[in-house]
Amino acid sequence: MTGRKTARLSRRALLQAGAAVGATLGSAGAISLSGCAPPSKSVLGGVRFVFIVKTVNSDYWQTCLAGGRAAAAQFGLQALQFTGADSESNIQRQIELVEDALAKRPDFLVLAPTSATALDATIDTVHKAGVKVILVDSAANTDTYDSFLATDNHAGGLLAATTLAEAIRKKTGAAAGQVGYSTFLSGVGSLSLRDRGFVEGLKAYPGIQIVAHKDAGGDQSVKPIGIVADTLTRFPKLVGYFADSLITLQGAVTAFRENHVDSSKVSLVGFDPTPQLVQLLRNRTIDGIILQDNYQMGYGGVAYGVLASAGLQVPKFINTGVTAATPDNVDSPNIQGLLNPKTQHSIGLRTTS
Protein backbone atom coordinates (compact mmCIF):
# COMPACT_ATOMS: atom_id res chain seq x y z
CA MET A 1 0.00 0.00 0.00
CA THR A 2 1.26 3.48 -0.86
CA GLY A 3 0.29 7.07 -0.14
CA ARG A 4 -0.88 8.80 2.99
CA LYS A 5 -1.96 5.72 4.91
CA THR A 6 1.53 4.22 4.79
CA ALA A 7 2.91 7.43 6.32
CA ARG A 8 0.54 7.30 9.25
CA LEU A 9 0.41 5.10 12.29
CA SER A 10 -2.63 3.04 13.11
CA ARG A 11 -5.26 4.60 15.36
CA ARG A 12 -4.17 2.30 18.19
CA ALA A 13 -0.51 3.25 17.80
CA LEU A 14 -1.36 6.95 17.71
CA LEU A 15 -3.45 6.62 20.84
CA GLN A 16 -0.54 4.86 22.52
CA ALA A 17 1.69 7.70 21.37
CA GLY A 18 -0.71 10.27 22.72
CA ALA A 19 -0.90 8.51 26.05
CA ALA A 20 2.89 8.37 26.25
CA VAL A 21 3.32 12.05 25.49
CA GLY A 22 0.35 12.94 27.66
CA ALA A 23 2.03 11.22 30.58
CA THR A 24 4.99 13.55 30.21
CA LEU A 25 2.71 16.56 29.98
CA GLY A 26 1.01 15.57 33.19
CA SER A 27 -2.46 16.29 34.45
CA ALA A 28 -1.65 19.96 35.04
CA GLY A 29 -0.37 20.47 31.51
CA ALA A 30 3.32 20.76 32.42
CA ILE A 31 6.09 19.43 30.22
CA SER A 32 8.95 17.99 32.25
CA LEU A 33 12.25 18.01 30.42
CA SER A 34 14.00 15.93 33.02
CA GLY A 35 13.06 13.21 35.42
CA CYS A 36 10.54 11.61 33.04
CA ALA A 37 10.86 8.47 30.98
CA PRO A 38 10.56 9.20 27.25
CA PRO A 39 7.92 7.13 25.44
CA SER A 40 9.16 4.14 23.49
CA LYS A 41 10.51 4.96 20.04
CA SER A 42 8.67 1.87 18.78
CA VAL A 43 5.45 3.67 19.63
CA LEU A 44 6.32 7.12 18.28
CA GLY A 45 8.87 6.34 15.59
CA GLY A 46 6.27 6.50 12.83
CA VAL A 47 4.92 9.94 13.74
CA ARG A 48 6.05 12.42 11.09
CA PHE A 49 6.05 16.20 11.25
CA VAL A 50 7.40 19.39 9.66
CA PHE A 51 8.35 22.48 11.68
CA ILE A 52 8.30 25.86 9.88
CA VAL A 53 9.27 29.16 11.50
CA LYS A 54 9.27 32.67 10.04
CA THR A 55 12.99 32.71 9.26
CA VAL A 56 16.02 30.60 10.07
CA ASN A 57 18.18 33.73 10.17
CA SER A 58 17.36 34.69 13.75
CA ASP A 59 18.54 33.71 17.22
CA TYR A 60 14.93 33.81 18.38
CA TRP A 61 13.75 31.28 15.81
CA GLN A 62 16.77 29.05 16.23
CA THR A 63 15.89 28.77 19.93
CA CYS A 64 12.31 27.86 19.00
CA LEU A 65 13.58 25.20 16.59
CA ALA A 66 15.93 23.89 19.30
CA GLY A 67 12.93 23.24 21.52
CA GLY A 68 11.25 21.33 18.72
CA ARG A 69 14.37 19.29 18.06
CA ALA A 70 14.62 18.42 21.75
CA ALA A 71 11.05 17.14 21.78
CA ALA A 72 11.56 15.16 18.58
CA ALA A 73 14.68 13.54 20.02
CA GLN A 74 13.07 12.77 23.36
CA PHE A 75 9.96 11.24 21.81
CA GLY A 76 11.76 9.52 18.92
CA LEU A 77 9.70 11.20 16.17
CA GLN A 78 10.40 11.48 12.45
CA ALA A 79 11.21 15.15 11.96
CA LEU A 80 10.92 15.58 8.20
CA GLN A 81 12.16 19.16 8.17
CA PHE A 82 12.98 22.13 10.41
CA THR A 83 12.91 25.17 8.16
CA GLY A 84 11.86 28.78 7.55
CA ALA A 85 12.17 31.57 5.02
CA ASP A 86 15.24 33.75 4.55
CA SER A 87 13.41 36.74 6.05
CA GLU A 88 10.36 37.35 8.21
CA SER A 89 9.00 39.58 5.45
CA ASN A 90 9.19 36.82 2.82
CA ILE A 91 5.58 35.72 3.14
CA GLN A 92 5.43 34.02 -0.26
CA ARG A 93 8.38 31.80 0.59
CA GLN A 94 6.69 30.64 3.77
CA ILE A 95 3.53 29.80 1.83
CA GLU A 96 5.67 27.69 -0.52
CA LEU A 97 7.29 25.93 2.43
CA VAL A 98 3.88 25.03 3.86
CA GLU A 99 2.76 23.71 0.48
CA ASP A 100 5.96 21.64 0.28
CA ALA A 101 5.28 20.32 3.78
CA LEU A 102 1.80 19.15 2.76
CA ALA A 103 3.33 17.22 -0.13
CA LYS A 104 5.42 15.27 2.41
CA ARG A 105 2.17 14.05 4.04
CA PRO A 106 3.15 14.56 7.68
CA ASP A 107 0.95 13.71 10.64
CA PHE A 108 1.23 17.27 11.90
CA LEU A 109 2.68 20.66 11.05
CA VAL A 110 4.14 23.13 13.54
CA LEU A 111 3.98 26.62 12.04
CA ALA A 112 4.82 30.19 13.07
CA PRO A 113 2.78 32.24 10.54
CA THR A 114 4.60 35.24 9.11
CA SER A 115 1.32 37.04 8.41
CA ALA A 116 -1.95 37.04 10.32
CA THR A 117 -3.93 36.82 7.07
CA ALA A 118 -1.75 35.73 4.13
CA LEU A 119 -1.31 32.15 5.38
CA ASP A 120 -5.01 31.56 6.13
CA ALA A 121 -5.94 29.80 2.88
CA THR A 122 -2.82 27.63 2.99
CA ILE A 123 -3.44 26.63 6.61
CA ASP A 124 -7.05 25.78 5.70
CA THR A 125 -5.80 23.52 2.89
CA VAL A 126 -3.39 21.69 5.19
CA HIS A 127 -6.02 21.14 7.86
CA LYS A 128 -8.64 19.94 5.36
CA ALA A 129 -6.09 17.39 4.12
CA GLY A 130 -6.15 15.79 7.57
CA VAL A 131 -2.85 17.17 8.80
CA LYS A 132 -2.99 18.48 12.36
CA VAL A 133 -1.83 22.11 12.63
CA ILE A 134 -0.08 23.54 15.68
CA LEU A 135 0.60 27.27 15.52
CA VAL A 136 3.37 28.85 17.58
CA ASP A 137 4.27 32.45 18.42
CA SER A 138 1.99 34.28 15.98
CA ALA A 139 -1.71 33.98 15.26
CA ALA A 140 -3.56 33.47 12.00
CA ASN A 141 -7.07 34.70 11.35
CA THR A 142 -8.31 31.24 10.44
CA ASP A 143 -9.53 28.86 13.14
CA THR A 144 -8.57 25.70 11.24
CA TYR A 145 -5.76 24.78 13.59
CA ASP A 146 -5.66 22.46 16.55
CA SER A 147 -3.62 24.37 19.12
CA PHE A 148 -1.78 27.68 19.40
CA LEU A 149 1.19 28.15 21.74
CA ALA A 150 2.24 31.75 22.20
CA THR A 151 3.07 34.65 24.39
CA ASP A 152 0.11 36.76 25.42
CA ASN A 153 1.51 39.56 23.28
CA HIS A 154 -0.95 42.16 24.51
CA ALA A 155 0.22 41.42 28.06
CA GLY A 156 3.79 41.68 26.79
CA GLY A 157 3.09 45.14 25.43
CA LEU A 158 1.56 46.18 28.75
CA LEU A 159 4.63 44.85 30.55
CA ALA A 160 6.91 46.77 28.18
CA ALA A 161 5.02 49.99 28.91
CA THR A 162 5.38 49.51 32.66
CA THR A 163 9.05 48.58 32.37
CA LEU A 164 9.82 51.64 30.23
CA ALA A 165 7.82 54.01 32.43
CA GLU A 166 9.55 52.82 35.58
CA ALA A 167 12.97 53.11 33.95
CA ILE A 168 12.15 56.69 32.95
CA ARG A 169 11.02 57.42 36.51
CA LYS A 170 14.31 56.12 37.92
CA LYS A 171 16.39 58.25 35.56
CA THR A 172 14.40 61.48 35.52
CA GLY A 173 12.50 61.43 38.80
CA ALA A 174 9.10 61.19 37.09
CA ALA A 175 7.34 58.93 34.62
CA ALA A 176 6.94 61.76 32.14
CA GLY A 177 8.25 63.01 28.82
CA GLN A 178 8.33 62.10 25.14
CA VAL A 179 8.70 58.50 23.94
CA GLY A 180 8.68 56.73 20.59
CA TYR A 181 8.35 53.17 19.39
CA SER A 182 8.99 51.08 16.28
CA THR A 183 7.30 48.10 14.65
CA PHE A 184 9.19 45.53 12.62
CA LEU A 185 6.35 44.80 10.19
CA SER A 186 2.74 45.96 10.18
CA GLY A 187 0.09 43.27 9.87
CA VAL A 188 1.94 40.68 11.95
CA GLY A 189 -0.53 39.56 14.61
CA SER A 190 1.94 39.24 17.49
CA LEU A 191 3.50 42.65 16.85
CA SER A 192 0.15 44.39 16.50
CA LEU A 193 -0.91 43.02 19.88
CA ARG A 194 2.36 44.14 21.50
CA ASP A 195 2.01 47.63 20.09
CA ARG A 196 -1.60 47.88 21.21
CA GLY A 197 -0.67 46.71 24.70
CA PHE A 198 2.20 49.19 24.86
CA VAL A 199 0.00 52.13 23.87
CA GLU A 200 -2.73 51.08 26.28
CA GLY A 201 -0.23 50.50 29.08
CA LEU A 202 1.16 54.01 28.82
CA LYS A 203 -2.30 55.43 29.50
CA ALA A 204 -1.59 54.67 33.16
CA TYR A 205 1.20 57.27 32.93
CA PRO A 206 -0.47 60.51 31.76
CA GLY A 207 2.83 62.37 31.88
CA ILE A 208 4.25 60.24 29.07
CA GLN A 209 3.52 61.32 25.50
CA ILE A 210 4.00 59.10 22.44
CA VAL A 211 5.47 61.39 19.78
CA ALA A 212 6.60 58.90 17.12
CA HIS A 213 5.70 55.47 15.76
CA LYS A 214 7.77 54.08 12.88
CA ASP A 215 7.46 50.90 10.78
CA ALA A 216 10.58 49.09 9.53
CA GLY A 217 8.51 47.40 6.82
CA GLY A 218 10.14 44.02 7.43
CA ASP A 219 13.62 45.29 6.58
CA GLN A 220 16.38 43.50 8.49
CA SER A 221 19.30 45.74 7.54
CA VAL A 222 19.37 49.55 7.72
CA LYS A 223 15.77 50.67 8.11
CA PRO A 224 15.38 49.50 11.75
CA ILE A 225 18.33 51.80 12.52
CA GLY A 226 17.22 54.72 10.37
CA ILE A 227 13.71 55.00 11.74
CA VAL A 228 15.07 55.30 15.30
CA ALA A 229 17.75 57.78 14.24
CA ASP A 230 15.06 59.90 12.59
CA THR A 231 13.01 59.92 15.79
CA LEU A 232 16.06 60.90 17.86
CA THR A 233 16.76 63.80 15.49
CA ARG A 234 13.20 65.05 15.40
CA PHE A 235 12.66 64.78 19.15
CA PRO A 236 15.88 65.71 20.99
CA LYS A 237 14.03 65.67 24.33
CA LEU A 238 13.07 62.01 24.00
CA VAL A 239 13.21 60.15 27.31
CA GLY A 240 12.32 56.64 26.20
CA TYR A 241 11.96 54.23 23.32
CA PHE A 242 10.26 50.84 22.79
CA ALA A 243 11.17 48.29 20.09
CA ASP A 244 8.58 45.56 19.53
CA SER A 245 10.92 42.86 18.13
CA LEU A 246 14.49 41.61 18.19
CA ILE A 247 15.31 43.30 14.87
CA THR A 248 13.94 46.68 15.92
CA LEU A 249 15.65 46.44 19.32
CA GLN A 250 18.98 45.76 17.64
CA GLY A 251 18.29 48.71 15.32
CA ALA A 252 17.50 50.97 18.26
CA VAL A 253 20.71 49.97 20.05
CA THR A 254 22.75 50.84 16.95
CA ALA A 255 20.93 54.15 16.43
CA PHE A 256 21.42 55.10 20.09
CA ARG A 257 25.14 54.34 19.82
CA GLU A 258 25.64 56.17 16.52
CA ASN A 259 23.75 59.21 17.80
CA HIS A 260 25.65 59.25 21.11
CA VAL A 261 22.50 58.89 23.21
CA ASP A 262 23.19 59.15 26.94
CA SER A 263 21.75 55.96 28.40
CA SER A 264 21.67 57.55 31.85
CA LYS A 265 18.99 59.92 30.51
CA VAL A 266 17.13 57.98 27.80
CA SER A 267 15.56 54.60 28.50
CA LEU A 268 15.30 51.71 26.04
CA VAL A 269 13.07 48.62 26.27
CA GLY A 270 12.44 45.96 23.65
CA PHE A 271 11.51 42.38 22.87
CA ASP A 272 13.79 39.35 22.72
CA PRO A 273 17.41 38.75 23.72
CA THR A 274 20.74 37.89 22.18
CA PRO A 275 23.94 37.42 24.22
CA GLN A 276 25.07 40.87 23.06
CA LEU A 277 21.81 42.51 24.10
CA VAL A 278 21.92 40.80 27.50
CA GLN A 279 25.39 42.24 28.07
CA LEU A 280 24.03 45.71 27.23
CA LEU A 281 21.26 45.06 29.74
CA ARG A 282 23.83 44.26 32.40
CA ASN A 283 25.71 47.50 31.79
CA ARG A 284 22.42 49.45 31.73
CA THR A 285 22.58 50.55 28.11
CA ILE A 286 19.25 48.71 27.78
CA ASP A 287 16.71 49.05 30.58
CA GLY A 288 14.49 46.07 29.85
CA ILE A 289 14.21 43.06 27.55
CA ILE A 290 10.81 41.41 27.33
CA LEU A 291 11.40 37.66 27.32
CA GLN A 292 9.20 35.08 25.67
CA ASP A 293 9.58 31.34 26.18
CA ASN A 294 10.24 30.49 22.55
CA TYR A 295 12.01 27.26 23.50
CA GLN A 296 8.83 26.16 25.23
CA MET A 297 6.81 27.05 22.12
CA GLY A 298 8.99 24.76 20.04
CA TYR A 299 9.01 21.88 22.50
CA GLY A 300 5.32 22.15 23.30
CA GLY A 301 4.37 22.58 19.65
CA VAL A 302 5.81 19.16 18.88
CA ALA A 303 4.39 17.53 22.01
CA TYR A 304 0.88 18.80 21.37
CA GLY A 305 1.22 17.85 17.72
CA VAL A 306 1.58 14.23 18.80
CA LEU A 307 -1.49 14.48 21.01
CA ALA A 308 -3.55 16.08 18.23
CA SER A 309 -2.39 13.40 15.78
CA ALA A 310 -3.66 10.77 18.20
CA GLY A 311 -7.10 12.34 18.00
CA LEU A 312 -6.95 13.63 21.55
CA GLN A 313 -8.42 16.97 22.52
CA VAL A 314 -5.79 19.68 22.99
CA PRO A 315 -6.18 23.23 24.31
CA LYS A 316 -6.98 25.78 21.62
CA PHE A 317 -4.60 28.31 23.19
CA ILE A 318 -1.61 27.81 25.46
CA ASN A 319 -0.04 30.86 27.10
CA THR A 320 3.71 30.33 27.30
CA GLY A 321 4.29 33.38 29.49
CA VAL A 322 6.11 36.71 29.32
CA THR A 323 8.71 38.20 31.67
CA ALA A 324 10.70 41.43 31.86
CA ALA A 325 14.47 41.10 32.31
CA THR A 326 16.06 44.19 33.83
CA PRO A 327 19.58 45.11 34.98
CA ASP A 328 18.47 44.29 38.51
CA ASN A 329 17.10 40.77 37.88
CA VAL A 330 19.11 39.54 34.88
CA ASP A 331 21.13 37.06 36.94
CA SER A 332 18.18 35.60 38.86
CA PRO A 333 17.45 31.88 38.30
CA ASN A 334 14.14 32.56 36.56
CA ILE A 335 15.63 34.99 34.04
CA GLN A 336 18.69 32.83 33.47
CA GLY A 337 16.43 29.86 32.78
CA LEU A 338 14.67 31.82 30.04
CA LEU A 339 17.93 33.13 28.60
CA ASN A 340 19.51 29.67 28.67
CA PRO A 341 16.54 27.34 28.12
CA LYS A 342 18.53 24.13 28.06
CA THR A 343 19.16 24.67 31.77
CA GLN A 344 15.44 24.66 32.52
CA HIS A 345 14.47 21.51 34.38
CA SER A 346 10.75 22.03 33.90
CA ILE A 347 8.60 23.86 31.43
CA GLY A 348 5.07 24.81 32.48
CA LEU A 349 2.30 25.33 29.94
CA ARG A 350 -0.57 27.48 31.16
CA THR A 351 -3.78 26.74 29.29
CA THR A 352 -6.49 29.28 28.61
CA SER A 353 -10.01 28.16 27.87
Side-chain angles (χ1 to χ4, degrees):
M1 182 180 293
T2 60
R4 183 173 181 81
K5 289 186 178 179
T6 63
R8 285 186 173 276
L9 297 178
S10 68
R11 171 71 174 171
R12 175 179 293 180
L14 275 173
L15 286 173
Q16 290 174 335
V21 175
T24 69
L25 291 175
S27 59
I31 294 177
S32 176
L33 294 184
S34 64
C36 68
S40 169
K41 290 187 179 182
S42 64
V43 174
L44 293 174
V47 179
R48 297 150 44 92
F49 74 96
V50 175
F51 198 129
I52 302 173
V53 293
K54 296 182 182 182
T55 177
V56 293
N57 297 320
S58 163
D59 289 344
Y60 178 87
W61 292 114
Q62 285 298 327
T63 298
C64 186
L65 291 174
R69 288 190 177 97
Q74 185 177 21
F75 299 135
L77 309 178
Q78 288 189 44
L80 301 178
Q81 193 174 22
F82 291 93
T83 188
D86 58 337
S87 166
E88 290 197 23
S89 61
N90 195 344
I91 297 171
Q92 182 57 40
R93 179 54 182 156
Q94 192 181 55
I95 291 173
E96 293 169 358
L97 288 172
V98 175
E99 292 172 343
D100 291 345
L102 179 58
K104 292 179 172 68
R105 299 186 179 276
D107 293 290
F108 67 91
L109 168 69
V110 182
L111 173 67
T114 296
S115 167
T117 57
L119 274 292
D120 289 352
T122 309
I123 293 170
D124 291 345
T125 299
V126 171
H127 202 260
K128 287 176 183 176
V131 177
K132 300 301 181 182
V133 178
I134 309 297
L135 301 183
V136 296
D137 181 82
S138 296
N141 285 346
T142 181
D143 64 355
T144 56
Y145 62 88
D146 295 277
S147 192
F148 175 35
L149 293 84
T151 303
D152 181 338
N153 282 289
H154 183 266
L158 292 171
L159 181 59
T162 300
T163 304
L164 183 63
E166 293 307 315
I168 292 170
R169 189 196 307 276
K170 286 182 180 180
K171 292 180 182 181
T172 68
Q178 298 178 337
V179 302
Y181 71 104
S182 54
T183 298
F184 174 65
L185 180 64
S186 293
V188 176
S190 57
L191 302 183
S192 297
L193 288 169
R194 291 174 198 175
D195 294 346
R196 188 191 313 165
F198 176 71
V199 172
E200 291 177 5
L202 285 186
K203 292 179 180 178
Y205 304 90
I208 294 179
Q209 177 190 9
I210 297 175
V211 295
H213 172 214
K214 299 285 187 177
D215 188 341
D219 183 88
Q220 292 184 245
S221 55
V222 298
K223 195 168 183 180
I225 303 169
I227 56 177
V228 180
D230 178 69
T231 298
L232 293 169
T233 300
R234 291 177 57 207
F235 301 99
K237 295 183 180 180
L238 205 73
V239 297
Y241 200 87
F242 166 60
D244 71 3
S245 71
L246 173 58
I247 300 299
T248 50
L249 178 55
Q250 290 172 320
V253 166
T254 301
F256 273 40
R257 183 182 68 248
E258 292 180 350
N259 287 269
H260 308 290
V261 172
D262 187 346
S263 59
S264 69
K265 297 179 179 179
V266 184
S267 299
L268 176 60
V269 170
F271 262 77
D272 300 330
T274 66
Q276 294 78 15
L277 293 176
V278 172
Q279 186 56 46
L280 293 174
L281 182 71
R282 282 197 172 93
N283 66 26
R284 300 182 182 272
T285 299
I286 297 175
D287 298 275
I289 300 176
I290 307 303
L291 305 180
Q292 307 178 77
D293 204 338
N294 42 330
Y295 188 90
Q296 177 180 171
M297 293 178 203
Y299 188 98
V302 171
Y304 279 103
V306 174
L307 295 179
S309 297
L312 302 178
Q313 184 175 1
V314 293
K316 195 69 173 179
F317 175 67
I318 300 167
N319 178 6
T320 53
V322 62
T323 306
T326 68
D328 296 328
N329 72 8
V330 65
D331 290 316
S332 67
N334 183 43
I335 299 300
Q336 283 298 303
L338 290 167
L339 293 174
N340 303 288
K342 291 183 180 180
T343 69
Q344 291 186 184
H345 298 297
S346 179
I347 290 180
L349 297 178
R350 294 169 290 283
T351 60
T352 299
S353 59

